[in-house]
Amino acid sequence: MADTLVYRAEGSAVANGSDLYGFTVTEWQLPATYPPFAAILFVPTAWLPLGALKAVFLVGNVALLALLVRLSCRLAGLPVRAAPVCAATALALWLEPVFQTVLFGQINLALACLVLWDLTRPPGALGKGFALGVAAGIKLTPAVFIAYLFLRGRPREACTALGGLAGTVLFGALVLPAASTEFFTRRVFETGRVGKAWIVDNQSLQGLIARLLHEAAPGAAWAVPAALTAGAGLWLARRAPGEPRALLLTAFTAVLVSPISWSHHWVWCVPLIALLVAEGRPRAAVAVAVLFTARTFWLLPHQGDLDLRLPWWQQPLAAPYPLLALALLPLLSTHPRTRTELPAPRAGAEGEAVARVGAAGGA
């Protein structure tokens, strides 16, 4: 639970008034990398004995996984029943991103639940978008979903999310003015603080390209494809035939183009599997589950700079998640409509509606 130790150190730094971005902890010398608002939220982690804190993170992440499964079913239009949700939760624990989140004591499941809960609420729900803004204030990556809301023609929710994000920045600045200035003018641009981009743990487009080119800092060779991927992904999300696909397109675009997306950031595989099940594609769902369980990149050399010298035939094993996401971008934007997306039957046209449902079920 190395990341839990970092959160605890951040909370202690806030409580003690020490330098938030000047320490490192654990044998891997990990620094604080989140905005000051997140560090303020971590203050209670400094109040618990370490053993109790780890137990809280373990139980909490399992509970959050069950919530993520439930929210994924709601997103995909699947029925939500206790027994299937519990069974799916038990199986999902073995998905590598989920397992690593629990192992490291990470907050990925909490952020995914905040985003999914907010975006799957009924249209016009009070404060819809605010929880998304708070998630972006804790860790900046979820801010991409604000662009998703604008692109999908939901400006009210997008502005509410922007207000939530601005509120977290303002709160952090009021409580920790020096740390806020340091983070937003300097630390936010230091991606090297997060870790080495070329190691196989990094399942982003930058990690794939760095290993493929045997170059620790690929520069424009990564920046240009990342910009093109971001533009294409958001454009496809805008045109996607349904909110579930649009949301997942946005999520996978974000983890693809982020400079560093550790394997445990890919917890969005859970709603992806739920969507494939809802579409009546069990084989594809099983294939995706196998890919996210196989842990192929952990079988490769994982010491020093060996990840930069992988032969060509090991490259797919080193980057299964970004390769899958690149394939998913066009597929999620063009898949035929499912029964949950069929228009409501017109009065006197029940026979036609039944025929459409039957056609969707056989697709």
Side-chain angles (χ1 to χ4, degrees):
M1 291 196 174
D3 289 313
T4 299
L5 299 180
V6 177
Y7 304 151
R8 189 171 191 244
E10 291 185 34
S12 296
V14 174
N16 299 329
S18 55
D19 186 359
L20 179 58
Y21 299 107
F23 68 81
T24 59
V25 293
T26 78
E27 61 185 283
W28 300 282
Q29 300 297 302
L30 301 176
T33 59
Y34 292 176
F37 175 73
I40 296 169
L41 296 182
F42 293 146
V43 167
T45 64
W47 302 341
L48 293 175
L50 185 56
L53 179 62
K54 290 183 177 182
V56 167
F57 265 78
L58 173 62
V59 174
N61 268 327
V62 173
L64 285 168
L65 176 59
L67 177 59
L68 181 61
V69 170
R70 181 183 178 89
L71 292 171
S72 298
C73 291
R74 186 165 80 178
L75 173 73
L78 291 171
V80 178
R81 294 190 293 269
V85 167
C86 289
T89 301
L91 292 173
L93 277 170
W94 296 100
L95 297 168
E96 190 271 346
V98 174
F99 187 89
Q100 294 298 111
T101 291
V102 176
L103 182 66
F104 291 141
Q106 255 283 348
I107 60 170
N108 304 303
L109 292 169
L111 295 176
C113 285
L114 268 177
V115 172
L116 265 188
W117 172 78
D118 203 4
L119 295 184
T120 57
R121 295 166 68 201
L126 180 64
K128 186 172 181 179
F130 184 80
L132 166 59
V134 172
I138 297 172
K139 190 173 182 178
L140 299 179
T141 310
V144 70
F145 290 100
I146 300 177
Y148 151 83
L149 290 174
F150 277 117
L151 290 171
R152 296 292 292 185
R154 296 156 67 177
R156 180 178 178 179
E157 296 170 20
C159 290
T160 303
L162 279 175
L165 172 58
T168 67
V169 175
L170 178 61
F171 183 73
L174 291 174
V175 178
L176 300 169
S180 295
T181 301
E182 180 180 358
F183 179 82
F184 287 106
T185 62
R186 177 183 169 193
R187 300 301 185 182
V188 71
F189 305 107
E190 297 176 350
T191 56
R193 284 173 58 87
V194 183
K196 298 180 178 66
W198 43 265
I199 60 177
V200 294
D201 311 51
N202 182 20
Q203 291 289 296
S204 73
L205 191 62
Q206 180 176 214
L208 184 158
I209 292 174
R211 292 186 294 269
L212 191 63
L213 299 180
H214 310 291
E215 177 60 56
W222 161 71
V224 173
L228 293 174
T229 302
L234 292 176
W235 180 73
L236 291 172
R238 178 179 180 274
R239 298 178 63 253
E243 293 301 327
R245 293 185 191 83
L247 192 150
L248 286 177
L249 277 166
T250 305
F252 286 118
T253 298
V255 287
L256 260 179
V257 303
S258 176
I260 292 183
S261 292
W262 301 130
S263 66
H264 51 78
H265 293 168
W266 290 76
V267 292
W268 289 97
C269 63
V270 175
L272 171 62
I273 293 170
L275 181 63
L276 292 172
V277 171
E279 291 178 347
R281 303 173 65 187
R283 292 181 181 177
V286 170
V288 169
V290 168
L291 182 143
F292 279 101
T293 308
R295 296 161 167 78
T296 56
F297 47 90
W298 295 116
L299 302 176
L300 302 175
H302 199 64
Q303 183 178 1
D305 64 351
L306 292 180
D307 292 351
L308 274 178
R309 292 182 274 150
L310 298 175
W312 66 269
W313 62 271
Q314 290 183 344
Q315 294 294 339
L317 299 176
Y321 302 168
L323 290 175
L324 173 67
L326 287 171
L328 283 174
L329 292 186
L331 291 177
L332 285 174
S333 63
T334 59
H335 191 273
R337 294 184 301 176
T338 67
R339 107 183 26 171
T340 59
E341 294 172 326
L342 290 173
R346 301 188 305 274
E350 292 83 0
E352 180 183 349
V354 170
R356 289 181 179 178
V357 171

